[in-house]
Amino acid sequence: MAELAKPVRNATLSQQIADELRSRIVAGDWPVGTKIPAEPELMAMLGVSRSTVREALRSLVHTRMLEARAGDGTYVRSDSALEFALLERIEQAEVRDVLEIRAMLEQHTARLAAQRCTPADARQLRALLENLEQATAQAKSLDEWLPAAIALFHGMTATTGNPLLAELYHHLDTATSQDLTDAAWRHDIATKSLPLQRTLIDAVTGNDPDRAEHTVRQLGLVFLLTAEQ
């Protein structure tokens, strides 16, 4: 793990400490579910007082990136400060509204992915498409099929090279996946969507943004129908 950066004393120390800890969590130095160093260790590593460390930790507990467990320590709950705030807002929204927002993100994602797709990205997307093809042929429930479809879209967001876009889509997807898995299994829907998935990956790997955006718009209508039935 990289050495923790000591704060520059020209701003609020606790905020600087919180920013530093957050960056280490996002970087994966402290994965979700792991225990972070105890307060005395952080004090020594950062060269600040206990009160400053505690204030920084409290701010990350407030955003739910960290979880304080009495008598045990502080654990990483999430690697995203955006996750819980966004999920709480999504829970208050109508499913159709969330799906429409997700559809807009998917269209922009498809266009960016097609513009930026490299040969290495193309190989990864082809592998994810193959997994989806196998799931479509073998799945007997939406729970068995949906992860492969989601993985393909996550691969596409990674292809954009925009981590914020990928993060937003991931949280929207997490919020809407349960609504989709609660829907009745329709193998014909999965089968119908597969040619569109193939066309989408052809467009992305062929660096054709117009075709990619058009195809993902068609796919969005298929998934919207699934959620509403």
Side-chain angles (χ1 to χ4, degrees):
M1 184 181 76
E3 183 178 350
L4 293 176
K6 294 183 179 179
V8 178
R9 299 177 184 273
N10 60 357
T12 304
L13 282 177
S14 62
Q15 185 59 56
Q16 291 185 65
I17 299 302
D19 290 344
E20 174 64 14
L21 298 180
R22 184 185 300 107
S23 69
R24 294 305 170 195
I25 293 169
V26 172
D29 292 339
W30 297 321
V32 173
T34 61
K35 185 177 180 179
I36 70 169
E39 288 181 4
E41 294 178 72
L42 292 174
M43 291 165 57
M45 296 164 74
L46 295 161
V48 296
S49 67
R50 183 183 296 272
S51 62
T52 299
V53 168
R54 284 185 173 177
E55 187 175 348
L57 292 176
R58 278 197 297 269
S59 71
L60 295 181
V61 169
H62 179 72
T63 64
R64 290 193 270 189
M65 289 189 77
L66 294 178
E67 178 184 5
R69 301 180 186 176
D72 188 2
T74 303
Y75 287 77
V76 179
R77 185 178 183 184
S78 171
D79 58 6
S80 169
L82 178 63
E83 179 179 0
F84 290 102
L86 184 58
L87 290 179
E88 283 182 356
R89 179 62 186 90
I90 291 171
E91 286 175 0
Q92 300 170 22
E94 296 293 332
V95 173
R96 186 182 183 92
D97 293 341
V98 178
L99 289 175
E100 287 176 350
I101 294 297
R102 193 175 82 165
M104 286 189 287
L105 279 179
E106 287 174 350
Q107 290 168 33
H108 188 62
T109 294
R111 174 169 287 278
L112 280 181
Q115 292 171 342
R116 299 173 179 177
C117 186
T118 66
D121 293 328
R123 288 191 294 272
Q124 177 65 18
L125 290 173
R126 292 290 181 191
L128 291 169
L129 176 61
E130 184 177 345
N131 289 340
L132 178 60
E133 290 171 337
Q134 292 175 357
T136 302
Q138 300 170 4
K140 293 180 174 57
S141 70
L142 198 57
D143 279 335
E144 294 178 5
W145 176 82
L146 193 59
I150 290 173
L152 184 61
F153 272 93
H154 286 182
M156 195 167 65
T157 62
T159 300
T160 69
N162 185 324
L164 179 57
L165 177 60
E167 184 178 355
L168 284 170
Y169 182 78
H170 171 73
H171 296 320
L172 281 170
D173 201 45
T174 298
T176 53
S177 291
Q178 185 59 52
D179 295 301
L180 291 174
T181 54
D182 284 344
W185 169 235
R186 291 280 306 278
H187 188 267
D188 60 315
I189 294 288
T191 302
K192 180 180 179 181
S193 72
L194 187 56
L196 290 172
Q197 302 276 17
R198 292 187 181 119
T199 300
L200 173 61
I201 298 309
D202 284 343
V204 171
T205 58
N207 302 115
D208 188 341
D210 290 337
R211 188 182 182 203
E213 183 176 354
H214 175 72
T215 305
V216 86
R217 189 180 300 118
Q218 293 178 295
L219 270 169
L221 292 175
V222 171
F223 290 123
L224 183 59
L225 287 173
T226 301
E228 291 182 338
Q229 291 173 354

